Coordinates of all heavy atoms in Angstrom, one line a residue:
D309 N 6.5 -3.0 19.0 CA 6.0 -3.9 20.0 C 6.9 -5.1 19.9 O 7.0 -5.7 18.9 CB 4.5 -4.2 19.8 CG 3.9 -5.1 20.9 OD1 4.5 -6.1 21.2 OD2 2.8 -4.7 21.4
P310 N 7.5 -5.6 21.1 CA 8.4 -6.7 21.0 C 7.8 -8.0 20.6 O 8.5 -9.0 20.4 CB 9.0 -6.8 22.5 CG 7.9 -6.0 23.3 CD 7.4 -5.0 22.4
R311 N 6.5 -8.1 20.6 CA 5.8 -9.3 20.1 C 5.8 -9.5 18.6 O 5.3 -10.5 18.1 CB 4.4 -9.4 20.6 CG 4.3 -9.5 22.2 CD 2.9 -9.3 22.7 NE 2.5 -7.9 22.6 CZ 1.4 -7.4 23.1 NH1 0.6 -8.2 23.8 NH2 1.1 -6.1 23.0
A312 N 6.4 -8.5 17.9 CA 6.5 -8.5 16.4 C 7.9 -8.5 15.9 O 8.8 -8.1 16.7 CB 5.7 -7.3 15.9
E313 N 8.0 -8.9 14.7 CA 9.3 -8.8 14.0 C 9.1 -7.8 12.8 O 8.0 -7.6 12.4 CB 9.8 -10.2 13.4 CG 10.0 -11.2 14.5 CD 10.3 -12.6 13.8 OE1 9.5 -13.0 13.1 OE2 11.4 -13.1 14.1
L314 N 10.2 -7.2 12.4 CA 10.2 -6.2 11.3 C 10.9 -6.6 10.1 O 12.1 -7.0 10.2 CB 10.7 -4.9 11.9 CG 10.7 -3.7 10.9 CD1 9.3 -3.3 10.6 CD2 11.5 -2.5 11.6
V315 N 10.3 -6.5 9.0 CA 10.9 -6.7 7.7 C 11.2 -5.3 7.1 O 10.3 -4.5 6.9 CB 10.1 -7.4 6.7 CG1 10.8 -7.6 5.3 CG2 9.7 -8.8 7.2
V316 N 12.5 -4.9 7.0 CA 12.8 -3.6 6.7 C 13.9 -3.6 5.6 O 14.7 -4.5 5.5 CB 13.4 -2.8 7.9 CG1 14.6 -3.5 8.5 CG2 13.6 -1.4 7.7
G317 N 13.8 -2.6 4.7 CA 14.8 -2.5 3.6 C 14.2 -2.6 2.2 O 13.0 -3.0 2.1
R318 N 15.0 -2.3 1.2 CA 14.5 -2.3 -0.2 C 14.8 -3.6 -0.9 O 15.4 -4.5 -0.4 CB 15.1 -1.1 -0.9 CG 14.8 0.2 -0.2 CD 15.4 1.4 -1.0 NE 14.7 1.5 -2.3 CZ 15.0 2.5 -3.2 NH1 15.9 3.4 -2.9 NH2 14.4 2.6 -4.3
H319 N 14.4 -3.6 -2.2 CA 14.6 -4.7 -3.1 C 14.0 -6.0 -2.6 O 14.5 -7.1 -2.7 CB 16.1 -4.9 -3.3 CG 16.8 -3.7 -3.7 ND1 16.4 -2.9 -4.8 CD2 17.9 -3.0 -3.2 CE1 17.2 -1.9 -5.0 NE2 18.1 -1.9 -4.0
K320 N 12.8 -5.9 -2.1 CA 12.0 -7.1 -1.7 C 11.2 -7.5 -3.0 O 10.6 -6.6 -3.6 CB 11.0 -6.7 -0.6 CG 11.6 -6.1 0.6 CD 10.4 -5.6 1.5 CE 11.0 -4.8 2.7 NZ 9.9 -4.1 3.4
P321 N 11.3 -8.7 -3.4 CA 10.6 -9.2 -4.6 C 9.1 -8.8 -4.7 O 8.6 -8.4 -5.7 CB 10.8 -10.7 -4.6 CG 12.1 -10.9 -3.9 CD 12.1 -9.8 -2.8
L322 N 8.4 -8.9 -3.5 CA 7.0 -8.6 -3.5 C 6.7 -7.3 -2.9 O 5.5 -7.0 -2.6 CB 6.2 -9.8 -2.9 CG 6.2 -11.1 -3.7 CD1 5.5 -12.2 -2.9 CD2 5.4 -10.8 -5.0
G323 N 7.7 -6.5 -2.6 CA 7.4 -5.2 -2.1 C 6.5 -5.1 -0.8 O 6.9 -5.7 0.2
M324 N 5.4 -4.5 -0.9 CA 4.5 -4.3 0.2 C 3.9 -5.7 0.7 O 3.4 -5.8 1.8 CB 3.3 -3.4 -0.2 CG 3.8 -2.0 -0.6 SD 2.4 -1.0 -1.2 CE 1.7 -0.4 0.4
M325 N 4.0 -6.7 -0.2 CA 3.4 -8.0 0.1 C 4.5 -9.0 0.4 O 4.3 -10.2 0.4 CB 2.5 -8.5 -1.0 CG 1.2 -7.8 -1.1 SD 0.1 -8.4 0.2 CE 0.2 -7.0 1.4
E326 N 5.7 -8.5 0.7 CA 6.8 -9.5 1.0 C 6.4 -10.4 2.1 O 5.8 -10.0 3.1 CB 8.1 -8.7 1.3 CG 9.3 -9.6 1.5 CD 9.7 -10.2 0.2 OE1 9.4 -9.7 -0.9 OE2 10.4 -11.3 0.3
L327 N 6.7 -11.7 1.9 CA 6.4 -12.8 2.8 C 5.0 -13.3 2.8 O 4.6 -14.1 3.5 CB 6.8 -12.5 4.3 CG 8.3 -12.2 4.6 CD1 8.5 -12.0 6.1 CD2 9.2 -13.3 4.0
I328 N 4.2 -12.7 1.8 CA 2.8 -13.2 1.7 C 2.8 -14.7 1.3 O 1.8 -15.4 1.6 CB 2.0 -12.4 0.7 CG1 0.5 -12.6 0.8 CG2 2.5 -12.7 -0.7 CD1 -0.1 -12.2 2.1
D329 N 3.8 -15.2 0.7 CA 3.9 -16.5 0.2 C 4.7 -17.4 1.2 O 5.2 -18.5 0.8 CB 4.6 -16.6 -1.1 CG 6.0 -15.9 -1.2 OD1 6.4 -15.3 -0.2 OD2 6.6 -15.9 -2.3
S330 N 4.9 -17.0 2.5 CA 5.7 -17.7 3.4 C 4.8 -18.6 4.4 O 5.4 -19.0 5.4 CB 6.6 -16.8 4.2 OG 5.8 -15.9 5.0
G331 N 3.6 -18.7 4.1 CA 2.7 -19.5 5.0 C 2.0 -18.7 6.1 O 1.5 -19.3 7.1
V332 N 1.8 -17.4 5.9 CA 1.0 -16.6 6.8 C -0.4 -16.9 6.7 O -0.9 -17.4 5.6 CB 1.3 -15.1 6.6 CG1 2.7 -14.8 6.9 CG2 0.9 -14.6 5.3
D333 N -1.2 -16.7 7.8 CA -2.6 -17.0 7.8 C -3.5 -15.8 7.5 O -4.7 -16.0 7.3 CB -3.0 -17.6 9.2 CG -2.2 -18.9 9.4 OD1 -2.3 -19.9 8.7 OD2 -1.4 -18.9 10.4
A334 N -3.0 -14.6 7.6 CA -3.8 -13.4 7.4 C -2.9 -12.3 7.2 O -1.7 -12.3 7.6 CB -4.7 -13.2 8.6
V335 N -3.4 -11.2 6.5 CA -2.6 -10.0 6.3 C -3.5 -8.8 6.7 O -4.7 -8.8 6.5 CB -2.2 -9.9 4.8 CG1 -3.3 -9.8 3.8 CG2 -1.3 -8.6 4.6
A336 N -2.8 -7.9 7.3 CA -3.4 -6.6 7.7 C -2.8 -5.5 7.0 O -1.5 -5.5 6.8 CB -3.3 -6.4 9.2
M337 N -3.5 -4.6 6.5 CA -3.0 -3.4 5.7 C -3.2 -2.2 6.6 O -4.3 -1.7 6.7 CB -3.7 -3.3 4.4 CG -3.5 -4.5 3.5 SD -4.4 -4.3 1.9 CE -3.8 -5.8 1.1
I338 N -2.1 -1.7 7.2 CA -2.2 -0.5 8.1 C -1.6 0.7 7.4 O -0.6 0.7 6.8 CB -1.3 -0.8 9.4 CG1 -1.8 -2.1 10.0 CG2 -1.4 0.4 10.3 CD1 -3.3 -2.0 10.5
G339 N -2.4 1.8 7.5 CA -1.9 3.1 7.0 C -2.0 3.2 5.4 O -1.3 3.9 4.8
Y340 N -2.9 2.4 4.9 CA -3.1 2.4 3.4 C -3.9 3.7 2.9 O -4.5 4.4 3.8 CB -3.8 1.1 3.0 CG -2.8 0.0 2.6 CD1 -1.8 -0.4 3.5 CD2 -2.9 -0.7 1.4 CE1 -0.9 -1.4 3.2 CE2 -2.0 -1.7 1.1 CZ -1.0 -2.0 2.0 OH -0.1 -3.0 1.7
H341 N -3.9 3.9 1.6 CA -4.5 5.1 1.1 C -5.1 4.8 -0.3 O -4.9 3.7 -0.9 CB -3.4 6.1 0.8 CG -2.2 5.6 0.1 ND1 -2.2 5.6 -1.3 CD2 -1.1 5.0 0.5 CE1 -1.1 5.0 -1.7 NE2 -0.4 4.6 -0.7
M342 N -5.9 5.8 -0.8 CA -6.5 5.6 -2.1 C -5.5 5.7 -3.2 O -4.4 6.2 -3.0 CB -7.6 6.6 -2.3 CG -8.9 6.3 -1.5 SD -9.7 4.8 -1.9 CE -10.3 5.2 -3.5
G343 N -5.9 5.3 -4.4 CA -5.0 5.3 -5.6 C -5.0 6.5 -6.4 O -5.8 7.4 -6.2
A344 N -4.2 6.5 -7.4 CA -4.0 7.7 -8.3 C -5.4 8.0 -9.0 O -6.1 7.1 -9.4 CB -3.0 7.4 -9.4
G345 N -5.6 9.3 -9.1 CA -6.8 9.8 -9.8 C -8.1 9.6 -8.9 O -9.2 9.8 -9.5
R346 N -8.0 9.2 -7.7 CA -9.1 9.0 -6.8 C -9.2 10.0 -5.7 O -8.1 10.6 -5.4 CB -9.1 7.6 -6.2 CG -8.8 6.5 -7.2 CD -10.0 6.2 -8.1 NE -11.1 5.6 -7.3 CZ -11.2 4.3 -7.0 NH1 -10.2 3.5 -7.3 NH2 -12.2 3.9 -6.3
P347 N -10.3 10.2 -5.1 CA -10.4 11.1 -3.9 C -9.7 10.4 -2.7 O -9.5 9.2 -2.7 CB -11.9 11.3 -3.6 CG -12.5 10.0 -4.2 CD -11.6 9.7 -5.4
G348 N -9.4 11.2 -1.7 CA -8.7 10.6 -0.5 C -7.4 11.3 -0.2 O -6.8 12.0 -1.0
V349 N -7.0 11.2 1.1 CA -5.8 11.9 1.6 C -4.6 11.3 1.0 O -4.4 10.1 1.0 CB -5.7 11.8 3.1 CG1 -4.5 12.5 3.6 CG2 -7.0 12.5 3.7
L350 N -3.7 12.1 0.4 CA -2.5 11.7 -0.2 C -2.6 10.6 -1.2 O -1.8 9.7 -1.3 CB -1.5 11.3 0.9 CG -1.0 12.5 1.8 CD1 -0.3 11.9 3.0 CD2 -0.1 13.4 1.1
A351 N -3.7 10.6 -1.9 CA -4.0 9.5 -2.9 C -3.0 9.5 -4.0 O -2.7 10.5 -4.6 CB -5.4 9.8 -3.5
H352 N -2.5 8.3 -4.3 CA -1.5 8.0 -5.3 C -1.4 6.5 -5.5 O -1.8 5.8 -4.6 CB -0.2 8.7 -5.0 CG 0.5 8.0 -3.9 ND1 0.2 8.1 -2.6 CD2 1.6 7.1 -3.9 CE1 0.9 7.4 -1.8 NE2 1.8 6.8 -2.6
T353 N -0.7 6.1 -6.5 CA -0.4 4.7 -6.7 C 1.1 4.6 -6.9 O 1.6 4.9 -8.0 CB -1.1 4.1 -7.9 OG1 -2.5 4.2 -7.7 CG2 -0.8 2.6 -8.0
C354 N 1.8 4.3 -5.9 CA 3.3 4.1 -5.9 C 4.1 5.4 -6.1 O 5.1 5.6 -5.4 CB 3.7 3.0 -6.9 SG 3.1 1.4 -6.5
L355 N 3.7 6.2 -7.0 CA 4.4 7.5 -7.3 C 3.4 8.6 -7.0 O 2.3 8.6 -7.3 CB 4.9 7.6 -8.7 CG 5.9 6.5 -9.1 CD1 6.2 6.6 -10.6 CD2 7.2 6.6 -8.3
S356 N 4.0 9.7 -6.3 CA 3.1 10.8 -6.0 C 2.5 11.5 -7.2 O 1.4 12.1 -7.2 CB 3.8 11.8 -5.1 OG 5.0 12.3 -5.8
H357 N 3.2 11.4 -8.4 CA 2.8 12.0 -9.6 C 3.0 10.9 -10.7 O 3.3 9.7 -10.4 CB 3.5 13.3 -10.0 CG 3.3 14.3 -9.0 ND1 2.1 15.0 -8.8 CD2 4.2 14.8 -8.0 CE1 2.2 15.9 -7.8 NE2 3.5 15.8 -7.3

Side-chain angles (χ1 to χ4, degrees):
D309 187 308
R311 292 170 289 190
E313 298 174 303
L314 181 64
V315 181
V316 61
R318 303 182 65 176
H319 306 306
K320 306 168 189 172
L322 288 176
M324 300 174 81
M325 285 287 99
E326 187 65 23
L327 298 186
I328 194 67
D329 55 356
S330 66
V332 297
D333 300 298
V335 59
M337 299 178 176
I338 303 298
Y340 269 52
H341 52 84
M342 287 297 290
R346 309 288 293 279
V349 178
L350 295 167
H352 69 286
T353 304
C354 294
L355 300 174
S356 57
H357 302 288

